[in-house]
Amino acid sequence: MNKKFHNVAVLVEFIAGSGLAIFFHWVLHYKEAAYTIFGIGILLSLVTYLIREEIEKTREDVLESYTHAHEITFAIARIEDPECQIRARELLSSSMRTISLLEQGFIPLEEMEYHLEGAKQMEQAFHSVKTVDPLSSGLDLRGALVNFYQAEQRARERGIRVSRIFIGSREELAMPEFQKILTALHHENVGVRIAFRDELPPIGAIGKNDTVNSLDFAIYDDRVVVDVYGKTGKYFGKKTARTSEVAKYLHLYDLIEHSSHAVTLEQDRIVPANDFMPIAA
């Protein structure tokens, strides 16, 4: 209907201009003015037609963008059942958290995807791999993690420098299952260090924020980070290659490394090396 009105308006403008030109030509016998008025009338009709077309096109684009942007909101508004409304808003809230991660350059990963991505990045590493693992949960060798540790072993065989910092307590360090794995890593010449939780600086001082929200992550060639997602929910971890976010993890790693201890093998047990440093006379 709007299109028809626009076409009628252009026709009316053309007829008005033409009628005025005819009046000057036949009634007033002023041919020069008649030709001028006719030409200007046609130009004005053309300009107004093009302007109306552009306004209509812009209006349609704006309406389409608005509808697309509010499609989910409109769909939720059409839900009549109160319980369904609550469920829909919970799903929307969860989706918004995921979208927020994507906006920051993080790809959310489910648990299987997380371990698969870690193994993939380990296979593709060229220079170095830096990892931070909690002693309490970072040494499980079952299931999907087997492929990850096999990929790590192949990376070391290719000459990739793998450095591991384990975070825990002295009591956890003394546990037999952890001693067994740490001893195996020590024999394989993996750069193992230990950081005790009570010796780490306050959380704010080590750069923990909305994106760096765990102390269980790996940095591959200083270009890609795979991190355990510290919040409960559908996703187990996340990955980022955004330079600014990788820089935050590198800074966090350096601070943790500064507070960590090298380890040594004493009487078939892994202990912090400085615990056995000789006391100067």
Side-chain angles (χ1 to χ4, degrees):
M1 187 61 69
N2 287 336
K3 186 72 173 178
K4 290 181 179 180
F5 283 143
H6 293 165
N7 292 336
V8 169
V10 172
L11 179 61
V12 169
E13 290 171 357
F14 175 76
I15 292 174
S18 300
L20 189 60
I22 292 171
F23 176 78
F24 271 82
H25 188 276
W26 285 354
V27 177
L28 300 180
H29 304 288
Y30 192 174
K31 296 182 179 181
E32 292 80 3
Y35 296 146
T36 302
I37 291 172
F38 183 73
I40 293 175
I42 290 178
L43 290 176
L44 287 176
S45 298
L46 178 61
V47 169
T48 54
Y49 172 78
L50 293 176
I51 291 175
R52 288 193 187 98
E53 284 291 312
E54 187 63 28
I55 291 174
E56 182 63 23
K57 183 177 181 299
T58 303
R59 176 178 173 275
E60 291 175 357
D61 291 342
V62 170
L63 284 175
E64 183 180 356
S65 299
Y66 180 83
T67 303
H68 180 72
H70 294 80
E71 184 177 358
I72 296 176
T73 305
F74 293 155
I76 293 176
R78 290 194 296 268
I79 299 175
E80 298 179 357
D81 186 275
E83 189 174 353
C84 292
Q85 273 271 358
I86 294 173
R87 180 59 176 165
R89 295 186 183 281
E90 290 175 352
L91 291 173
L92 180 59
S93 177
S94 175
S95 298
M96 288 305 299
R97 288 195 295 269
T98 302
I99 292 173
S100 177
L101 273 178
L102 293 170
E103 286 178 341
Q104 298 172 68
F106 288 90
I107 300 174
L109 304 168
E110 296 181 0
E111 185 170 4
M112 187 65 70
E113 293 175 324
Y114 174 85
H115 297 306
L116 178 63
E117 186 64 36
K120 174 184 172 183
Q121 293 297 329
M122 191 72 75
E123 294 283 5
Q124 295 177 350
F126 289 103
H127 307 294
S128 65
V129 178
K130 304 171 183 176
T131 70
V132 173
D133 302 284
L135 278 175
S136 57
S137 61
L139 299 177
D140 187 0
L141 293 179
R142 296 170 296 174
L145 282 177
V146 172
N147 289 333
F148 174 80
Y149 287 112
Q150 289 175 346
E152 180 180 321
Q153 185 175 5
R154 289 192 293 270
R156 293 197 300 270
E157 291 172 354
R158 298 198 315 269
I160 306 302
R161 183 167 54 86
V162 179
S163 303
R164 282 183 168 274
I165 301 177
F166 293 100
I167 299 177
S169 64
R170 294 182 183 273
E171 292 76 15
E172 288 171 330
L173 178 60
M175 295 174 67
E177 59 268 33
F178 296 147
Q179 281 290 324
K180 179 180 179 182
I181 296 175
L182 291 174
T183 301
L185 291 173
H186 181 76
H187 286 316
E188 293 174 5
N189 295 320
V190 178
V192 175
R193 297 182 70 88
I194 297 292
F196 297 112
R197 291 191 186 93
D198 57 356
E199 295 179 357
L200 288 175
I203 294 300
I206 61 175
K208 200 170 184 182
N209 53 42
D210 289 341
T211 55
V212 183
N213 52 26
S214 84
L215 297 179
D216 189 355
F217 60 87
I219 307 172
Y220 302 91
D221 289 335
D222 294 348
R223 60 178 179 81
V224 177
V225 173
V226 178
D227 182 20
V228 171
Y229 192 40
K231 300 177 182 178
T232 57
K234 176 182 178 181
Y235 297 108
F236 181 82
K238 57 186 186 287
K239 165 196 168 184
T240 184
R242 180 175 287 184
T243 304
S244 59
E245 296 300 332
V246 173
K248 293 178 184 179
Y249 281 93
L250 288 169
H251 179 62
L252 175 58
Y253 182 88
D254 290 340
L255 290 173
I256 295 174
E257 184 180 39
H258 182 70
S259 300
S260 66
H261 305 267
V263 297
T264 187
L265 188 64
E266 292 286 341
Q267 300 177 353
D268 295 327
R269 293 183 64 81
I270 292 292
V271 295
N274 54 344
D275 285 357
F276 287 86
M277 292 177 60
I279 300 175

